[in-house]
Amino acid sequence: MSVIRIDTQPLAGQKPGTSGLRKTVAEFSRPHYLENFVQSIFNALGDCSGKSLVVGGDGRYYNRHAAQVILRMAAANGCSRVLVGQGALLSTPAASCIIRKYGLDGGIVLSASHNPGGPEGDFGIKFNGANGGPAPESVTAAIFAATARIDHYLTLDTADIDLDQPGAVTLGSTAIEIIDPVADYADLMASLFDFPKIASLLGHRRFHMCFDAMHAITGPYALEILERRLGAAAGTVINAVPLEDFGGGHPDPNLAHAGELVARMNGDEPLAFGAASDGDGDRNMVLGSGVFINPCDSLAILAANASVIPAYAAGLAGIARSMPTSRAADRVAAELGIPLFETPTGWKFFGNLMDAGRITLCGEESFGTGSSHIREKDGLWAVLFWLNLIAGLSKPARTILREHWHRYGRDYFSRHDYEAVAEDRATALMDALRARLPGLAGTCLAGHTVAAADDFSYTDPVDGTVSAGQGLRILFEDGARIVFRLSGTGTAGATLRVYYDSYQRDPALLELAPQRALATLFAAADELAGITRLLGRSQPDVIT
Ligand code: VG1
Ligand code: CO
């Protein structure tokens, strides 16, 4: 078995986005495309000899092939040890857990997260560092720079190894360990939450719940944790088998895509609690009976009640949320007397704050919630947190939600996505709006007067890195807010995301439908940015 050197040349379009490099399978299948990017990761890391990595992914089409390619290249580049999930499977949070638990130098996670899979779908690669978290912008920039310089990559002239048998094999001089993808993560969850208490809740004859794994990676994790370790009834986890095309579905846990779960929640025998996760297991949607719990509210509620959970009983250091996420968590942080950090969209911005001990909990409106137990957002963790709260407070999820609104007021929130828009049109809309920001204060739009408007820029309080151009914010005098930004995870055209939130304290107005409560802001956004006029779209494609 020998190392071989393959000549190549830079390929366009290898700039990582919000969460790694995400492209269509067709793009990844182009000659050298995958190899160029993987070698660029190794080149950006510098000397790889003696380094240890974890490799695994969400099981989508191309996952197995990519894992084999990466293992050969890791060996050829001198890595000494590579842990790989059996079947090349690993959820994103499990990969983060394993990097931290075994003190590895990093990991390569194969996933396009909530994007559809299959030969016609998307694929992706993320690199995580030694803290278990997504590479910060300095590292993704170095990887991108390496893709522009590459002239060869290294691999081995060997056949694929059997990734379905747990155990150890040697590839060149690299030790490959094929590990149970679930066990370490399940053990970590058991160390954070009161499993006996959750088990007694799940064993209660009147508590029925459903977890929809959407044929993505969390199936095996949810089966082990919810059904095997916590004793939930068989069948609690639905769509539990990871499929290469997610059963033709869209592994995005929201009301639009988790249709089977929503139907069960509202069926003849309504359930007390429902949850779903995304392609790679880092997102969560939680539902109480008759209520959808917005992720912004979920973060605030977890923070407000964290003392119920064993791992967080000693208190929280601080909370962080992405800028477009509603300010519900800010109200809890203020009451707890702890700092609140507002970061750009994307989990990579939370890592420094957690490493420095400045925050314990963090979240994003895009169904992402997490804590410093790992360095990724964590879908099942959020579900277990909710179950532990329901058990610990002896209250149903919907009561916890309503009591929270009555205590803190409600931050109505909605995100409107305009997908697959022509890139030039989306850019023109954003450019025109950006140019108008300095003169907007004092303008009245659909009854809301603009107090301030800016293009969000973040200075990392730990290392001083500045990330500019992170979304256009319009703040109104009445406390409402609209944010415009372009997605960094799509693979077809551009996606415009428009985020709306407004604050309500009046107890009589806490239970409106969000689309109704925010309706005048939708009109304000259209008047301001000309969404209908410039994009030719009168309705968003997805509303969450
Ligand atoms: C989206 C979300 C963002 C999230 C990112 C990755 O990014 O808005 O909050 O961190 O996806 O999530 P964008 O740039 O498309 O808005 V995951 O679960 O897809 O890795
Ligand atoms: Co994800």
Side-chain angles (χ1 to χ4, degrees):
M1 186 177 316
S2 54
V3 173
I4 46 177
R5 180 193 151 112
I6 311 273
D7 289 333
T8 185
Q9 55 191 20
L11 296 170
Q14 297 209 312
K15 189 173 169 53
T18 312
S19 180
L21 182 69
R22 216 171 275 192
K23 297 286 172 189
T24 59
V25 168
E27 183 91 6
F28 264 106
S29 309
R30 289 170 54 197
H32 306 319
Y33 191 91
L34 170 68
E35 292 85 350
N36 271 19
F37 190 73
V38 173
Q39 185 65 49
S40 298
I41 294 174
F42 293 134
N43 291 350
L45 287 180
D47 183 8
C48 292
S49 56
K51 289 226 156 75
S52 55
L53 291 177
V54 68
V55 174
D58 66 9
R60 68 178 59 222
Y61 182 80
Y62 212 64
N63 186 94
R64 277 178 174 269
H65 168 71
Q68 298 282 358
V69 169
I70 292 167
L71 291 175
R72 279 191 286 268
M73 290 182 65
N77 277 277
C79 292
S80 60
R81 181 183 184 207
V82 183
L83 273 52
V84 52
Q86 189 179 356
L89 296 178
L90 273 179
S91 75
T92 289
S96 186
C97 159
I98 286 164
I99 293 170
R100 296 171 68 78
K101 180 168 179 176
Y102 297 104
L104 308 180
D105 295 302
I108 297 180
V109 183
L110 309 172
S111 173
S113 189
H114 56 286
N115 296 25
E120 313 295 324
D122 291 341
F123 187 72
I125 296 194
K126 308 185 276 189
F127 177 70
N128 285 26
N131 72 346
E137 283 192 323
S138 55
V139 175
T140 55
I143 295 171
F144 181 52
T147 67
R149 283 195 304 264
I150 192 163
D151 61 6
H152 72 275
Y153 61 84
L154 302 178
T155 186
L156 297 182
D157 60 348
T158 51
D160 287 355
I161 57 176
D162 182 358
L163 291 177
D164 292 313
Q165 300 307 319
V169 291
T170 312
L171 202 56
S173 46
T174 306
I176 309 276
E177 294 164 46
I178 298 151
I179 59 168
D180 177 341
V182 175
D184 293 305
Y185 176 83
D187 291 347
L188 176 61
M189 293 300 114
S191 75
L192 301 173
F193 298 107
D194 188 341
F195 267 32
K197 201 158 213 158
I198 300 174
S200 79
L201 173 74
L202 295 178
H204 196 286
R205 64 188 164 77
R206 284 172 55 203
F207 186 88
H208 299 292
M209 71 162 285
C210 175
F211 179 92
D212 188 350
M214 303 185 83
H215 286 305
I217 190 67
T218 42
Y221 295 84
L223 281 177
E224 170 65 18
I225 296 170
L226 296 174
E227 296 194 11
R228 290 193 203 104
R229 297 201 187 191
L230 291 166
T236 295
V237 182
I238 61 170
N239 300 318
V241 180
L243 298 176
E244 288 199 327
D245 65 349
F246 308 114
H250 200 129
D252 197 354
N254 59 37
L255 294 175
H257 294 302
E260 187 172 349
L261 173 68
V262 172
R264 288 192 189 212
M265 291 303 295
N266 302 321
D268 294 342
E269 294 171 52
L271 306 173
F273 186 73
S277 195
D278 71 332
D280 61 330
D282 55 0
R283 296 187 177 206
N284 75 93
M285 174 175 71
V286 287
L287 305 170
S289 66
V291 292
F292 161 73
I293 300 173
N294 184 282
C296 310
D297 286 341
S298 181
L299 172 63
I301 291 167
L302 302 191
N305 297 288
S307 60
V308 171
I309 309 295
Y312 310 103
L316 306 176
I319 308 171
R321 61 164 173 82
S322 67
M323 182 273 282
T325 303
S326 91
R327 289 153 290 174
D330 304 30
R331 307 181 202 289
V332 176
E335 177 149 318
L336 293 174
I338 57 174
L340 181 289
F341 298 88
E342 184 175 46
T343 58
T345 295
W347 211 260
K348 54 179 170 274
F349 296 101
F350 295 131
N352 273 353
L353 295 170
M354 291 194 273
D355 289 349
R358 311 263 297 252
I359 60 165
T360 309
L361 297 185
C362 50
E364 296 192 275
E365 49 67 42
S366 54
F367 299 87
T369 334
S371 91
S372 49
H373 67 289
I374 54 170
R375 294 292 179 273
E376 286 278 4
K377 55 187 185 263
D378 192 342
L380 260 169
W381 168 89
V383 172
L384 292 166
F385 200 131
W386 266 98
L387 289 170
N388 203 152
L389 277 193
I390 294 165
L393 299 171
S394 301
K395 287 176 185 168
R398 64 183 292 156
T399 307
I400 297 173
L401 176 67
R402 288 194 167 133
E403 289 183 357
H404 187 88
W405 289 340
H406 278 272
R407 178 154 175 212
Y408 292 92
R410 178 171 178 187
D411 289 88
Y412 282 101
F413 177 87
S414 185
R415 185 178 100 185
H416 289 188
D417 294 333
Y418 299 83
E419 297 181 335
V421 174
E423 275 187 56
D424 53 347
R425 288 194 188 199
T427 314
L429 182 150
M430 292 293 281
D431 288 348
L433 181 55
R434 192 178 298 106
R436 289 184 57 196
L437 295 178
L440 273 186
T443 310
C444 184
L445 299 159
H448 300 271
T449 305
V450 177
D454 67 1
D455 189 348
F456 181 60
S457 174
Y458 176 67
T459 303
D460 186 303
V462 179
D463 66 14
T465 309
V466 176
S467 303
Q470 297 293 327
L472 309 182
R473 296 194 286 190
I474 322 292
L475 301 146
F476 295 96
E477 285 179 356
D478 56 15
R481 189 179 66 155
I482 307 175
V483 175
F484 296 81
R485 62 178 283 281
L486 297 180
S487 159
T489 57
T491 57
T495 293
L496 173 68
R497 303 203 196 283
V498 191
Y499 310 77
Y500 302 93
D501 67 272
S502 73
Y503 181 54
Q504 181 57 259
R505 268 230 83 110
D506 183 346
L509 296 174
L510 294 177
E511 308 229 2
L512 302 179
Q515 299 309 304
R516 205 182 126 208
L518 297 165
T520 56
L521 288 176
F522 304 156
D526 203 24
E527 190 180 329
L528 176 64
I531 302 170
T532 313
R533 184 168 44 85
L534 294 174
L535 303 187
R537 302 276 178 95
S538 57
Q539 289 299 323
D541 299 283
V542 180
I543 296 178
T544 45

